[in-house]
Amino acid sequence: MRQLFNISEMLQTHARLRPTQIGASDSRRSLSYADWNKRASGLASGLLAHGLQAGDRVAVLAFNRIEWLEIYVALARAGLVALPLNFRLVSDELGYILKDAQVSALICAQALQDKVLPIVGQLPLKACVQMDGVLMAGWTDYDALIQQAPERHDWPHVDPKQTCALMYTSGTTGKPKGAIRSHEASTLMAYATAIDMGFTVKDKALLVMPLCHANSLYFANTFMHLGACIVVDDNASFDAENLLKLLSMHQITFTSLVPTHYVMMLALPDAVKQKYATQSVGRLLVSSAPANASLKQAIQQMFPNGQLYELYGSTEAGWVTLLRPEEQLRKLGSVGREWAGSGPIKLMNAQRQEVPDGEVGELYSCTSYAFEGYWGAPDKTAEAFAGAWCSVGDMAMRDKDGFIWLMDRKSNMIISGGENIYPSEVEAVLCAHPAVQEAAVIGMPDDKWGESVLAVVSTKADQDCTADDLKQW
């Protein structure tokens, strides 16, 4: 009996069925499915030739680029585990992760190499692979590794239950934790995404969010399984006009952005926005931060053919809730209801007893694609699970219609005079003021109340307001 295919096996399928179709591209090159499959095989073979064995962790440090897609497929083919590194981390933070994960190989872009040079000598690495630039002593050139790799067809057997990625999440307290993701979970989430959002092989996705993060990786998995086309925005920093250019030039049908991306795009002069045709965009996603009503309405006006979705999820749990297009303004502020194929969310108190609708509790999701646990941290894993239900410490409330409203992280909660205060609730009220651009709320030690509330507010460029104005608001 065949088991669930992983992204390596699906890419082989698409390379056979539609070899000449473009599967991936960035600003430098495009890959047909046949070429993508061939290069992934070369990279997988090259890494195994360096002595790596199934289950070894391979760290990757790079800005967005098409190579991420080659690497994820190659590691799945070789039975190796992808360890995507956040390029915004400093050397000490990267060093902790590399040592904690006991990596066996590192693939690094030349532009970020200085961050890891102080660390590589301390690690028992079997391979250091460099992308771009003049090759540094002791490193192997990425393209040479692919081109010179021995041809092989006897790939290691990869069970769906095996680990495909080890993804470190920083959280809000303590050291980063490595979330263990399996091939099976990744495949099931790809199917759930395609079902609930209606994606097909005819879609063309633009990935803007970093491919070292869960958002772009999980959507990339979906489009790889479907055999659709993936366009990678490989700008090192976000460029709003370039985003519009890519949407127009590639006839993109879907992209996922955070509210700030949309704000920057909408702020472009009308003359710039009118240069680019975006009628092809059929689905848009906003996630990672709240989006207010005026922003959502402006997005819908700018993309008249685009259905707007908002999701809540995490590296560990995967997708948890989805606010669908017809619910955007009717349930503004909610993160929606459960994804297709997932069990009912439980909201529980400190004793892990369910709280009634309308009360705040810790959110536990039940999906077929949650993570397997935290790397080397059985105590943290036990804290995250209540049977089949998984939590990352977010507090939420369910309304009478079954919609979920996020309050805040449990660790962010302010306790003042015995009352629980959720910073996100105060931030939402402040951000509703017409003069406020952004707001952040934190708890400060207070002799009388235990903690008091401090708000840090940034006003819009053409607006002004005082602390008293905001208190009255």
Side-chain angles (χ1 to χ4, degrees):
M1 180 183 293
R2 289 296 307 186
Q3 297 171 311
L4 284 172
F5 276 19
N6 60 39
I7 55 172
S8 165
E9 294 163 317
M10 287 305 299
L11 197 79
Q12 289 173 324
T13 298
H14 299 312
R16 185 180 74 253
L17 296 178
R18 48 185 70 86
T20 60
Q21 179 179 312
I22 298 301
S25 67
D26 64 8
S27 66
R28 297 169 298 124
R29 61 190 172 98
S30 296
L31 286 172
S32 68
Y33 268 104
D35 290 338
W36 185 357
N37 185 58
K38 182 178 179 181
R39 284 179 62 85
S41 287
L43 180 56
S45 177
L47 290 171
L48 292 174
H50 272 74
L52 275 79
Q53 298 178 344
D56 284 348
R57 275 74 61 203
V58 178
V60 186
L61 180 62
F63 296 119
N64 266 12
R65 54 194 296 163
I66 199 171
E67 284 84 354
W68 275 103
L69 303 179
E70 296 174 341
I71 292 166
Y72 280 127
V73 174
L75 298 183
R77 186 158 299 170
L80 301 169
V81 177
L83 174 57
L85 296 169
N86 187 337
F87 53 77
R88 294 188 177 93
L89 298 179
V90 300
S91 291
D92 287 347
E93 294 169 322
L94 292 169
Y96 170 81
I97 292 172
L98 293 170
K99 291 174 183 176
D100 184 68
Q102 302 169 23
V103 297
S104 297
L106 171 65
I107 301 173
C108 183
Q110 189 271 335
L112 295 166
Q113 218 166 2
D114 286 346
K115 290 193 173 195
V116 293
L117 288 179
I119 308 162
V120 292
Q122 306 169 28
L123 301 169
L125 297 174
K126 299 174 183 177
C128 291
V129 182
Q130 177 182 327
M131 293 185 280
D132 313 321
V134 177
L135 191 64
M136 187 167 291
W139 289 67
T140 300
D141 178 75
Y142 178 85
D143 281 310
L145 180 65
I146 292 173
Q147 293 159 9
Q148 298 169 12
E151 185 174 354
R152 64 181 298 165
H153 303 285
D154 57 331
W155 301 108
H157 171 70
V158 179
D159 188 274
K161 300 288 188 184
Q162 286 178 225
T163 303
C164 70
L166 187 58
M167 305 187 71
Y168 275 76
T169 60
S170 56
T172 53
T173 59
K175 294 287 189 181
K177 304 183 294 293
I180 302 168
R181 302 282 320 175
S182 72
H183 289 284
E184 179 180 63
S186 295
T187 297
L188 290 171
M189 185 156 57
Y191 293 163
T193 306
I195 290 169
D196 217 338
M197 295 189 70
F199 294 126
T200 73
V201 67
K202 295 180 180 179
D203 274 295
K204 185 175 281 191
L206 175 64
L207 301 183
V208 178
M209 311 269 266
L211 273 156
C212 59
H213 286 183
N215 185 289
S216 276
L217 172 56
Y218 295 167
F219 278 112
N221 275 336
T222 299
F223 294 104
M224 281 190 251
H225 276 277
L226 289 171
C229 181
I230 300 170
V231 179
V232 178
D233 181 355
D234 55 2
N235 265 17
S237 58
F238 180 71
D239 182 321
E241 183 176 357
N242 185 65
L243 172 63
L244 281 178
K245 180 181 177 182
L246 292 173
L247 292 172
S248 175
M249 180 172 66
H250 293 282
Q251 294 291 285
I252 296 298
T253 65
F254 167 77
T255 193
S256 170
L257 304 170
V258 300
T260 302
H261 291 148
Y262 288 109
V263 169
M264 294 172 68
M265 188 164 48
L266 290 163
L268 290 169
D270 288 340
V272 173
K273 290 185 280 191
Q274 290 166 5
K275 287 165 52 179
Y276 304 102
T278 58
Q279 292 89 340
S280 64
V281 179
R283 294 175 187 80
L284 295 153
L285 185 81
V286 59
S287 67
S288 304
N292 59 36
S294 61
L295 177 58
K296 289 185 174 183
Q297 288 169 334
I299 294 169
Q300 290 170 335
Q301 289 173 359
M302 188 172 185
F303 298 95
N305 297 330
Q307 293 184 307
L308 185 62
Y309 294 80
E310 185 173 359
L311 74 75
Y312 158 71
S314 64
T315 301
E316 293 93 331
W319 310 146
V320 175
T321 63
L322 185 66
L323 190 67
R324 295 163 177 87
E326 66 278 9
E327 301 159 348
Q328 290 300 318
L329 299 180
R330 181 167 62 86
K331 287 292 184 177
L332 184 68
S334 167
V335 292
R337 301 189 67 179
E338 294 87 342
W339 276 75
S342 62
I345 285 171
K346 289 185 178 181
L347 302 176
M348 297 199 272
N349 60 23
Q351 291 73 44
R352 291 194 170 178
Q353 297 170 331
E354 287 194 70
V355 301
D357 290 352
E359 291 190 16
V360 175
E362 186 173 351
L363 189 155
Y364 284 80
S365 60
C366 181
T367 69
S368 59
Y369 43 74
F371 78 134
E372 306 301 315
Y374 292 113
W375 172 261
D379 54 335
K380 296 293 182 184
T381 300
E383 290 175 14
F385 285 94
W389 276 259
C390 167
S391 172
V392 293
D394 287 330
M395 307 298 289
M397 182 269 292
R398 181 191 286 108
D399 69 17
K400 61 183 178 60
D401 300 318
F403 285 78
I404 302 298
W405 302 73
L406 288 183
M407 299 294 113
D408 219 315
R409 276 286 169 100
K410 183 167 61 173
S411 56
N412 290 347
M413 187 173 66
I414 300 166
I415 303 176
S416 183
E419 295 292 329
N420 295 340
I421 299 171
Y422 296 98
S424 61
E425 289 186 308
V426 183
E427 290 164 356
V429 173
L430 292 171
C431 287
H433 191 287
V436 173
Q437 179 70 43
E438 294 179 297
V441 170
I442 56 175
M444 297 292 289
D446 188 283
D447 291 337
K448 180 178 180 180
W449 300 104
E451 285 185 294
S452 60
V453 178
L454 174 67
V456 183
V457 176
S458 170
T459 58
K460 295 176 182 176
D462 58 344
Q463 300 283 335
D464 192 21
C465 68
T466 66
D468 286 337
D469 293 334
L470 293 175
K471 288 177 182 177
Q472 290 296 322
W473 177 259

